[in-house]
Amino acid sequence: MQANAPIRVLHVIGGTGCGGSESWLVNLLKQCDRLQLPMDFLVHSHEPGHYDEVLKDCGANLLRCVSPRSPWRYAKTFRSLLRQHGPYQVVHSHVSFFSGLTLKLAHHAGVPMRVAHSHHVTTHHPGKRRPVLRGVYESSMQQWIARHATHRIAASRAAQITLNSSPNQGVPWQTIHCGIDLTPFQQSVDRQAVRRELRIPDSAFVVGHTGRFVQVKNHSHLLDTMEKLIRRDPTYVLVLIGDGELRPQIEAKVSQLAIKQQVRFVGVRSDVARLLGSVDTFVFPSHHEGLGLALVEAQAAGLPCIASSSVPEEATVVPKLITRLPLAAGPAAWAEAIAEIRKRPMTVPRQAAYQQVAASNFNIATNFAQLKEFYERGRLHEDTPETDFAPSMELLST
């Protein structure tokens, strides 16, 4: 490959929903010059996604390679898409354990730079047995990643562990934090106008949360915490930004706890920075996180934050804004921590908090420059294609 030729990158993602890694990739795409760093996206779904039109408007090709549960069909489609839309100098895979297969296929196709990217932390609950086939699948994919990835990166140090079969196998892991677009956080927010829009009284103390309605985000704990606060002071209000499969269950629990008047479900929004401008504190009780970009956004908005001890410490950018609590402390302790924040004055001016985040690696402009340099360093990697592709149907069953 010529040294001055564009580096063509194919990102492999599950879909184009509004999760943290998908939002990060969209923000990266908006930063790049397509003539210098063309990025395309291969997804595992026929369903329309939240970011489909944004990707297309930015000039990216959206390639659909479904049937990940049928490895032979998937492999045939994958190879066909690479021939049709390539050549790509980089296949950058974001699909957790399944990256073992995508990178093996990319190796077989002669793609010189193959990146395994771990965004999540996978935990197994003590006393709960992992299905045997699942364990074999994960172990096999970890070994394929070790063999076929030319580069391995993770969103945090904790996220490295998920896809790492052995510290001594394969190329070393490195951490590259995902970034956020800070432009919306530069704009002033009409706090009262947002509160009127959400039907929130001026006198309310607003607790905010951003996250998909999935088990790991632990909305149930947050509702139990709010119920204890509201029982003693009904001026507390909770704003939930996001959507997901568990939303009906969370709405049902809100009704069960009799706090419906104090909870606002605002759905997926493109104006998260504006909404956070109307919030008084941000609460993030996740069971675990690969990184926790929502917590970084809250700090960019200058909000005091309460986060679970399971959220990586790397997500702390403005330490004076962060309170850490173990989930085992229980909703009562979390409620007390929120009440204490309400009593004390702001410790960090909003502009100062924003400047700290802007000066960090979480600034998407800085983050993009890091990733571009990462691709450029790897572009001269020479490799030979594999010819022994023979995936096992049992191993690839998920």
Side-chain angles (χ1 to χ4, degrees):
M1 180 170 44
Q2 295 180 359
N4 59 351
I7 302 172
R8 298 195 66 217
V9 181
L10 179 65
H11 291 283
V12 181
I13 55 179
T16 54
C18 54
S21 56
E22 294 88 348
S23 299
W24 170 64
L25 288 168
V26 167
N27 286 330
L28 281 178
L29 184 62
K30 291 177 179 178
Q31 292 286 316
C32 77
D33 178 350
R34 186 160 178 82
L35 295 177
Q36 293 298 315
L37 188 64
M39 292 185 182
D40 291 338
F41 295 81
L42 183 148
V43 299
H44 291 169
S45 174
H46 274 315
E47 298 296 322
H50 180 73
Y51 285 122
D52 283 5
E53 295 307 315
V54 177
L55 295 176
K56 293 174 185 176
D57 289 345
C58 290
N61 292 312
L62 187 59
L63 318 180
R64 299 194 181 275
C65 188
V66 296
S67 305
R69 291 177 181 269
S70 177
W72 290 107
R73 188 183 308 165
Y74 180 90
K76 181 179 179 181
T77 306
F78 189 95
R79 288 194 292 255
S80 175
L81 289 170
L82 258 61
R83 285 194 299 268
Q84 181 181 351
H85 297 276
Y88 292 101
Q89 285 73 50
V90 183
V91 167
H92 191 151
S93 186
H94 306 266
V95 287
S96 194
F97 293 100
F98 199 77
S99 292
L101 177 59
T102 61
L103 298 181
K104 183 176 178 72
L105 291 170
H107 191 177
H108 178 70
V111 177
M113 186 175 183
R114 303 177 299 277
V115 184
H117 198 144
S118 180
H119 291 273
H120 307 292
V121 175
T122 301
T123 59
H124 297 289
H125 298 288
K128 184 177 181 180
R129 293 188 62 185
R130 181 172 55 175
V132 174
L133 280 180
R134 181 68 194 183
V136 173
Y137 164 77
E138 291 183 5
S139 177
S140 299
M141 292 300 100
Q142 287 172 328
Q143 291 176 30
W144 281 9
I145 288 169
R147 178 176 177 181
H148 300 289
T150 60
H151 299 76
R152 300 193 290 184
I153 60 179
S156 66
R157 289 184 294 274
Q160 294 181 13
I161 300 170
T162 300
L163 301 183
N164 196 21
S165 58
S166 167
N168 299 320
Q169 278 192 329
V171 294
W173 284 91
Q174 58 182 298
T175 299
I176 297 180
H177 297 141
C178 299
I180 60 173
D181 181 5
L182 289 167
T183 306
F185 294 92
Q186 292 178 306
Q187 302 166 6
S188 60
V189 176
D190 187 336
R191 180 183 173 92
Q192 279 67 40
V194 178
R195 289 194 169 201
R196 285 195 299 271
E197 176 188 316
L198 300 179
R199 297 173 291 104
I200 297 175
D202 291 342
S203 60
F205 187 85
V206 181
V207 176
H209 174 82
T210 306
R212 290 176 299 129
F213 285 80
V214 292
Q215 193 67 36
V216 68
K217 299 299 182 181
N218 206 10
H219 288 84
S220 183
H221 181 283
L222 180 54
L223 293 185
D224 289 336
T225 299
M226 291 302 300
E227 189 269 341
K228 293 188 178 300
L229 284 169
I230 292 166
R231 187 188 303 166
R232 64 190 189 191
D233 185 344
T235 63
Y236 284 97
V237 171
L238 174 64
V239 173
L240 296 173
I241 306 170
D243 210 339
E245 60 193 44
L246 295 185
R247 178 167 171 171
Q249 295 180 30
I250 298 303
E251 290 176 332
K253 181 164 183 173
V254 167
S255 298
Q256 176 189 346
L257 294 175
I259 57 175
K260 193 172 182 179
Q261 296 300 315
Q262 286 93 359
V263 180
R264 307 289 186 269
F265 292 86
V266 301
V268 176
R269 299 284 290 253
S270 59
D271 60 342
V272 171
R274 176 173 171 268
L275 293 174
L276 291 179
S278 71
V279 167
D280 295 298
T281 191
F282 186 85
V283 180
F284 203 52
S286 298
H287 287 293
H288 54 81
E289 289 281 345
L291 180 61
L293 284 181
L295 185 62
V296 178
E297 289 183 331
Q299 292 168 85
L303 296 177
C305 305
I306 302 174
S308 77
S309 304
S310 302
V311 177
E313 286 290 342
E314 292 143 281
T316 298
V317 188
V318 189
K320 289 184 178 179
L321 289 178
I322 304 293
T323 299
R324 296 274 181 168
L325 281 177
L327 293 174
W334 282 66
E336 189 58 39
I338 295 171
E340 286 300 314
I341 286 176
R342 186 172 189 175
K343 293 175 186 175
R344 66 180 187 235
M346 291 288 290
T347 55
V348 182
R350 180 182 180 278
Q351 188 59 27
Y354 169 83
Q355 291 295 343
Q356 281 187 248
V357 179
S360 75
N361 288 335
F362 292 106
N363 185 327
I364 193 64
T366 302
N367 187 225
F368 173 75
Q370 288 178 323
L371 195 64
K372 187 171 182 289
E373 181 185 358
F374 170 76
Y375 290 145
E376 289 171 346
R377 287 200 311 267
R379 70 182 298 160
L380 297 179
H381 179 90
E382 294 294 337
D383 207 355
T384 55
E386 286 229 326
T387 57
D388 64 341
F389 174 65
S392 161
M393 295 294 288
E394 290 77 19
L395 294 185
L396 296 174
S397 297
T398 57

